[in-house]
Amino acid sequence: QVQLVESGGGLVQPGGSLRLSCAASTSIYSFYSGGWSRRGPGKPRELVATITDTGSASYADSVKGRFTISRDNGKNMVYLQLDSLQPEDPALYSCTYQFVPPSGLQTVWGQGTPVTVPS
């Protein structure tokens, strides 16, 4: 019953920036990891960034050096800062949470927020 809501997508010119936000409907206890993935028209889904409970972040080669993932525990939010956006970056960006209740590892996906970069 935990739901994720993404926001912050939109139309940005090449070289521009956006900050995507992912909010959980309830507080996430036993947080394990968070992440962002994207899927453009006619392209396979790509995991672009992840962050662990200890704050360790990793990125896909396609976005390394341009995107930054972060987490605000107090606001129960995960963010993705997108800088130097390029024409290959437009996609539906979706966030995910993983957490570990007594029943075991659970994964929740949001519906996504679109990012458009004109060529």
Side-chain angles (χ1 to χ4, degrees):
Q1 59 186 354
V2 175
Q3 298 181 3
L4 306 181
V5 179
E6 301 104 327
S7 62
L11 175 67
V12 182
Q13 297 297 315
S17 298
L18 284 174
R19 189 180 73 163
L20 308 182
S21 301
C22 177
S25 60
T26 61
S27 297
I28 302 297
Y29 300 102
S30 302
F31 180 85
Y32 182 73
S33 68
W36 288 90
S37 65
R38 67 183 183 184
R39 183 161 59 194
K43 301 178 181 178
R45 177 167 295 279
E46 178 185 28
L47 183 65
V48 299
T50 61
I51 187 167
T52 71
D53 58 339
T54 62
S56 298
S58 61
Y59 302 93
D61 290 340
S62 58
V63 305
K64 191 173 298 183
R66 299 188 297 118
F67 293 4
T68 304
I69 189 171
S70 61
R71 178 175 177 236
D72 187 331
N73 293 347
K75 297 181 179 179
N76 202 29
M77 302 279 287
V78 172
Y79 304 96
L80 185 68
Q81 178 70 36
L82 297 77
D83 295 322
S84 300
L85 283 162
Q86 302 299 315
E88 64 267 24
D89 293 324
L92 184 71
Y93 284 73
S94 301
C95 70
T96 183
Y97 278 89
Q98 291 186 308
F99 54 101
V100 189
S103 58
L105 180 66
Q106 302 291 321
T107 303
V108 181
W109 287 89
Q111 295 299 308
T113 185
V115 173
T116 302
V117 183
S119 59

